[in-house]
Amino acid sequence: MARYSDEIIDEVRQTNDIVDIVSQYVHLKRSGRNYFGLCPFHNEKSPSFSVSPEKQIFHCFGCGVGGNVFTFLTKIEGINFVEAVQMLAERANIQLPALDNNLDNAKEQLKAKVYKVNEFAAKYYHENLYKPEAKEAQEYVKKRKLSNDTLIAFQIGFSGKFDELYKELKKQGFEDREILESGLVNRNDRGQYIDRYRNRLMFPICDVRGRVIAFGGRVLDDSKPKYINSPENIVYSKGRHLFRIKCCKKI
Ligand SMILES: [Zn+2]
């Protein structure tokens, strides 16, 4: 497996303070030289999870887990070391050299496509919300007192009818397997492609890098189920993302 040089890994580590990174997942409080919080890796009521800004490491006195900023990210995000380096490099605007056998991998390519499908869908749903056909959804958000700033910041949207999203995705050149993998469209027994979310208020769910990984969809009336969520897929794992479901853009 390809890897980055030690120099670049060091640079990435030094430009990402572990306290900043851990704080995105754990509420930390300073106590003496270290920070403490509730361990995200085991269930506890009093904080035994510590972070040392001097040593740039974390350690849990409860379950024994510990390591540096990369270890923390691999564990909390369920990603591998290379992905953790990439994530932190991006955050610090460090340009990484290309790793050849990384993107060659068919799985990585499919993942990249699914992120693109999700990104397009989020934009499509959001724009839909402002169309005349979305009158019912517009009334709903008004009733809920969601300001336009909130709608924009959270990229809240509205899903259309039968296979509207599917058709749009095909127009964008996505392949059926990429679309199906996103979980946004299902194929029925007769081979028809049908949007998973129809006539629902849409909430994109993003990872720490701001990539859309899943959606939640709410009905506008009292019909059931009130909410549906994306199924687990190549970019979305409920267990892994449970700790930090937050929106793409901050408000
Ligand atoms: Zn622990």
Side-chain angles (χ1 to χ4, degrees):
M1 185 172 164
R3 55 159 298 158
Y4 297 111
S5 68
D6 291 343
E7 290 75 31
I8 197 115
I9 289 170
D10 273 348
E11 188 190 345
V12 172
R13 191 171 47 78
Q14 281 161 17
T15 44
N16 283 280
D17 187 74
I18 192 167
V19 176
D20 288 347
I21 303 299
V22 173
S23 297
Q24 290 181 17
Y25 304 84
V26 181
H27 181 67
L28 292 174
K29 261 185 148 170
R30 186 158 199 145
S31 170
R33 293 172 141 194
N34 296 328
Y35 288 83
F36 285 87
L38 293 174
C39 179
F41 305 112
H42 84 278
N43 221 331
E44 63 174 8
K45 294 224 163 63
S46 58
S48 50
F49 180 84
S50 73
V51 182
S52 162
E54 281 162 41
K55 296 183 193 151
Q56 288 291 305
I57 54 167
F58 71 97
H59 177 73
C60 174
F61 295 95
C63 66
V65 65
N68 64 15
V69 69
F70 298 123
T71 329
F72 180 79
L73 274 179
T74 57
K75 288 188 185 304
I76 200 141
E77 289 286 336
I79 55 181
N80 65 33
F81 180 77
V82 167
E83 288 171 319
V85 173
Q86 288 168 342
M87 194 166 144
L88 292 178
E90 192 172 287
R91 186 177 178 271
N93 283 321
I94 295 171
Q95 194 77 36
L96 290 173
L99 283 187
D100 289 350
N101 52 1
N102 199 25
L103 262 176
D104 275 356
N105 184 321
K107 194 179 163 195
E108 289 302 317
Q109 284 180 357
L110 179 59
K111 256 188 177 176
K113 284 286 186 185
V114 172
Y115 284 124
K116 289 249 185 296
V117 168
N118 286 345
E119 187 188 331
F120 177 82
K123 194 165 150 263
Y124 173 77
Y125 287 145
H126 182 64
E127 285 168 1
N128 248 354
L129 184 58
Y130 296 90
K131 290 182 184 160
E133 300 87 296
K135 199 160 178 283
E136 205 189 337
Q138 290 155 8
E139 277 163 11
Y140 178 87
V141 296
K142 215 189 218 167
K143 206 168 71 194
R144 285 297 178 109
K145 297 196 167 56
L146 297 171
S147 70
N148 197 40
D149 287 349
T150 305
L151 298 178
I152 293 169
F154 287 98
Q155 286 271 294
I156 292 170
F158 181 60
S159 53
K161 298 191 183 67
F162 200 66
D163 61 352
E164 283 177 13
L165 176 69
Y166 173 70
K167 281 188 189 142
E168 285 300 319
L169 288 167
K170 290 301 279 184
K171 265 192 229 163
Q172 297 296 313
F174 290 109
E175 289 171 20
D176 286 342
R177 69 183 189 103
E178 297 158 358
I179 297 172
L180 289 173
E181 181 60 43
S182 75
L184 288 168
V185 174
N186 296 318
R187 187 171 47 199
N188 69 14
D189 299 343
R190 281 175 289 166
Q192 290 171 300
Y193 291 87
I194 303 167
D195 294 356
R196 177 181 181 86
Y197 299 99
R198 300 177 306 278
N199 277 312
R200 283 174 184 264
L201 202 63
M202 298 301 297
F203 303 88
I205 297 165
C206 301
D207 65 8
V208 274
R209 293 168 70 173
R211 297 178 300 193
V212 180
I213 51 174
F215 289 86
R218 191 204 190 286
V219 287
L220 299 172
D221 53 21
D222 292 328
S223 58
K224 298 269 158 48
K226 198 192 256 187
Y227 288 98
I228 50 175
N229 289 306
S230 298
E232 300 213 345
N233 61 40
I234 198 164
V235 299
Y236 175 52
S237 142
K238 281 171 188 155
R240 188 205 314 171
H241 292 106
L242 189 69
F243 289 113
R244 41 146 342 281
I245 285 175
K246 71 174 186 190
C247 205
C248 307
K249 293 183 190 167
K250 293 203 174 75
I251 50 165

